[in-house]
Amino acid sequence: MAEQEQPARTGQEKAVAWAATHAGELAGVGAPLIGGAVWSPWLCLLAVPGTAAWVVSELRLRRTTRTARTSLTSAGKPALPTAPAEHHQSTGDQADMAGSPERKEAHR
């Protein structure tokens, strides 16, 4: 059976996944900004160190994972190993059939 590709993620799914993984940073920056809008504009200044720390962290992460991201995007799709033709021939022996695609498909 051919390998099925994962459907492409929509922009909304990507945005929700990003927001979920960055919830702590968003809260650390957003809470002082909301507090500044509600109570005192001086509270907005508390968001500056949090924002600076977040930017530095993201830049450091981006720099350290550059080679991994480059190798993943340039590698392409890995080729699947192919079995020799005699592996797929039915001999009637159950030991030979145990790992065959036909046997696996029957149990799904």
Side-chain angles (χ1 to χ4, degrees):
M1 188 166 117
E3 182 179 324
Q4 296 178 358
E5 291 187 26
Q6 294 283 342
R9 290 173 36 180
T10 64
Q12 182 180 11
E13 290 172 333
K14 290 178 185 177
V16 168
W18 182 88
T21 57
H22 290 73
E25 293 105 346
L26 290 170
V29 172
L33 292 176
I34 292 170
V38 173
W39 293 293
S40 171
W42 290 101
L43 288 175
C44 291
L45 293 176
L46 294 176
V48 174
T51 304
W54 187 10
V55 168
V56 168
S57 171
E58 288 296 315
L59 289 174
R60 193 173 292 148
L61 177 67
R62 190 113 170 123
R63 192 174 337 135
T64 57
T65 60
R66 181 181 298 147
T67 56
R69 284 183 285 112
T70 304
S71 66
L72 285 175
T73 56
S74 64
K77 202 171 192 179
L80 295 174
T82 57
E86 60 270 0
H87 177 73
H88 293 292
Q89 293 175 349
S90 177
T91 60
D93 186 13
Q94 287 295 344
D96 290 339
M97 289 289 291
S100 71
E102 296 84 12
R103 177 101 173 152
K104 290 178 182 175
E105 188 66 31
H107 287 288
R108 287 187 183 180

